[in-house]
Amino acid sequence: MRQIIIAIDGYAATGKSTTARGVAEALNYLHIDSGAMYRAVAWYLWQRGVRTVQPDLLPTQLEDLALHLERQGREMAIFVNGRLLQEELRRPEISRFASEVSAVPWVRERLIAEQRKLGCRGGIVMDGRDIGTVVFPNAELKVFMQAELSVRVERRYQELLARGIVVDKKTILHELKERDYRDETRATSPLRKAPDMYVLDTTHLTISGQIAQVVKWAKELIYASTPS
Ligand code: DC
């Protein structure tokens, strides 16, 4: 059976990673969360006391960064200088900072090269902002996820609450708007809905509904391209 590349892009808090994880499980593919890689770089800088992104300083500030990804089951575990990073990547200050760090072309070039290496053999579901447009423009299945802003705010609120982080909804709304704006307007690989993407609006969908829809599209493509 052909092992395809599934690219899932879209706005923050539309359920990209959850959907990608579920699709990878259903197809027995590897899930790669490209956002976690940007978060890992942001976390490293934050730990070193950096609070403002100055693109010219980044090559020096990141000189000693050793970012390592290791396959664990269907997921990629992320290590920074030997330390496994999990929950710390999800903190609100890291979300904010990752959005700034990810706008720097020098950082993107490096992470994109890494993402291409990880996915080049197919059998992957990668989620992010530029996977179908830049990282794997030839991906067999490209999905663009969107949802109404109020629904995204509520989901992010619940997600943070489940992690024991309380942030008021107004702050979440403001931050999501800011991130959307930054993701869509940055000069290098902005978030863009390309004409060859399947649009998945998750406003009224459950998680299992989202996963089922992407798996259905994937299977149609896999069977259509597998000689019988
Ligand atoms: O998907 P996420 O929220 O974990 O992503 C964290 C940040 O990284 C987000 O602000 C957008 C950015 N990002 C990106 O620019 N390109 C990607 N392929 C993935 C994430």
Side-chain angles (χ1 to χ4, degrees), residues 41-61:
V41 175
W43 178 88
Y44 175 82
L45 290 167
W46 193 265
Q47 284 299 105
R48 295 192 43 171
V50 180
R51 296 291 180 269
T52 334
V53 175
Q54 290 178 270
D56 294 350
L57 297 183
L58 281 179
T60 313
Q61 289 169 335

Side-chain angles (χ1 to χ4, degrees), residues 67-172:
L67 183 66
H68 171 65
L69 280 91
E70 192 178 293
R71 184 171 184 155
Q72 290 186 355
R74 273 184 291 269
E75 296 292 324
M76 295 304 284
I78 298 198
F79 295 85
V80 163
N81 296 41
R83 171 173 169 170
L84 173 66
L85 295 181
Q86 290 168 308
E87 279 301 301
E88 45 281 72
L89 295 183
R90 305 286 141 198
R91 295 210 56 88
E93 66 274 18
I94 300 301
S95 299
R96 254 191 316 272
F97 203 45
S99 166
E100 286 179 47
V101 170
S102 68
V104 180
W106 185 85
V107 173
R108 301 201 70 82
E109 278 163 31
R110 271 149 194 80
L111 293 187
I112 288 171
E114 209 49 48
Q115 289 153 10
R116 287 187 178 139
K117 263 196 257 164
L118 291 168
C120 64
R121 274 190 253 124
I124 60 142
V125 187
M126 190 178 287
D127 67 284
R129 303 292 188 289
D130 60 343
I131 310 306
T133 50
V134 176
V135 182
F136 291 115
N138 297 324
E140 288 86 348
L141 174 58
K142 301 181 186 181
V143 178
F144 188 90
M145 289 183 59
Q146 60 190 30
E148 275 170 20
L149 193 54
S150 58
V151 172
R152 294 164 57 207
V153 170
E154 184 60 32
R155 288 182 187 158
R156 183 48 51 93
Y157 175 78
Q158 295 298 341
E159 180 194 329
L160 289 170
L161 204 62
R163 294 195 163 103
I165 303 168
V166 182
V167 182
D168 75 276
K169 292 185 186 174
K170 259 199 191 142
T171 307
I172 297 178

